[in-house]
DNA sequence: TTGCGTGCAAAGGTTTTGCATGGCA
DNA sequence: TGCCATGCAAAACCTTTGCACGCAA
């Protein structure tokens, strides 16, 4: 909640670099931990969690949970926006692809949510889940 | 997955009755447990989980996992399901409240996503993040 | 009677927290 | 030097599982 992490440390740099490398794919804390361990420069689990929490707060990383029992998945989405540009994402549940949407249509959605439900949508954090066109096609032919 | 619960027991009846009572609202296992404890007829946690799992399998109950750390939410939706009644959720990033929305507006969103982006939205898994009206008000006055 | 359901306690797994140490500025 | 970040281990948490007992059929 009150994570700051204002210093620039080696762990932070390497974590960020690795996340960018895996950008768009989903990854668990265990996998991140494993990666650095096998690379010969392990990073403590707590540290990974602390940095991820901060990045999620900033909107650079998205966190989602499938089950309460399995570990959470994180995905690197990118640097925080270019001011003003609204950016939504959708993620395909089949192939895992993460797609960015820049579309006026969603302004309507935001407006509706605010006017009818008093809810101020946070576009950076909201991800639509579903099945993308490619996977939808494949599914039909099977 | 392999839950059977084929016998008709007192616990099953009371659990079902309580779930129907709360129909449409979200509830956690802890709250269910608390309810029966204060009612003087406690039901074991394991039993609650076992029945909920079965009901989720059968489609009578929806299960939502928002965070890995907070407990899962369950929602009784009855036997009617599967034929319509789309249900979205939004989660307040400030107070953590989870609210569900039954609103025709979102059919438009679904349609748009499908027709313009070829994306078949999965309403059950999609959660809007943002700030709810209560927390929005509070924020203004601070 | 048979076999399933229940409840307790313990296990299993993920994430968070406390605290001493070491690093950044 | 003064904080802050790190890492370890322990704690906290939710959920599942093992097992003996009791209840449904």
């Amino acid at each position: 909640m009150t994570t700051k992490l204002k210093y620039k440390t080696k762990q932070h740099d390497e974590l960020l670099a690795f996340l960018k490398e895996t950008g768009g794919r989903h990854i668990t804390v265990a996998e991140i931990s494993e990666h650095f361990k096998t690379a010969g420069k392990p990073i403590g689990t707590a540290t990974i969690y602390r940095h991820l929490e901060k990045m999620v707060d900033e909107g650079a990383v998205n966190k989602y949970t499938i089950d309460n029992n399995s570990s959470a998945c994180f995905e690197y989405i990118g640097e925080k926006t270019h001011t003003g540009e609204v950016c939504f994402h959708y993620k395909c549940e089949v192939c895992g692809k993460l797609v960015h949407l820049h579309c006026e249509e969603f302004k309507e959605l935001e407006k509706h949510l605010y006017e009818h439900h008093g809810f101020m949508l946070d576009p950076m954090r909201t991800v639509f889940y579903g099945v993308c066109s490619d996977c939808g096609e494949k599914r039909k032919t099977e």
Side-chain angles (χ1 to χ4, degrees), chain A:
Chain A
M1 204 65 179
T2 35
T3 327
K4 286 176 181 178
L5 287 281
K6 53 169 77 166
Y7 285 179
K8 187 176 178 300
T9 65
K10 197 174 56 181
Q11 286 87 343
H12 169 259
D13 289 347
E14 301 201 334
L15 191 52
L16 187 59
F18 180 58
L19 285 175
K20 280 182 179 168
E21 218 173 90
T22 67
R25 293 210 315 279
H26 60 72
I27 196 164
T28 65
V29 169
E31 287 164 348
I32 296 172
S33 180
E34 186 61 26
H35 167 82
F36 286 107
K37 192 186 291 175
T38 57
K41 39 189 176 184
I43 298 182
T45 318
T47 299
I48 297 174
Y49 275 108
R50 285 189 272 239
H51 278 289
L52 284 173
E53 184 192 350
K54 185 195 165 208
M55 291 175 183
V56 168
D57 277 354
E58 291 172 342
V61 166
N62 206 288
K63 173 183 179 179
Y64 57 96
T65 309
I66 309 295
D67 274 317
N68 247 358
N69 243 22
S70 55
S71 45
C73 287
F74 297 85
E75 60 197 2
Y76 183 77
I77 293 179
E79 303 302 332
K80 195 160 190 179
T81 37
H82 346 295
T83 45
E85 180 160 13
V86 183
C87 179
F88 283 88
H89 298 86
Y90 72 71
K91 186 180 173 64
C92 177
E93 292 172 328
V94 178
C95 67
K97 186 168 55 187
L98 182 70
V99 181
H100 302 239
L101 300 169
H102 301 275
C103 186
E104 292 304 309
E105 174 77 15
F106 303 112
K107 294 229 167 115
E108 281 302 310
L109 172 68
E110 266 188 279
K111 196 175 156 193
H112 170 82
L113 277 170
Y114 185 65
E115 292 182 352
H116 293 257
H117 305 278
F119 187 69
M120 275 183 294
L121 186 63
D122 181 351
M124 286 310 297
R125 193 91 64 97
T126 298
V127 177
F128 297 118
Y129 286 88
V131 181
C132 74
S133 49
D134 292 349
C135 294
E137 287 300 322
K138 280 181 198 157
R139 193 171 274 183
K140 276 179 196 163
T141 59
E142 279 170 4

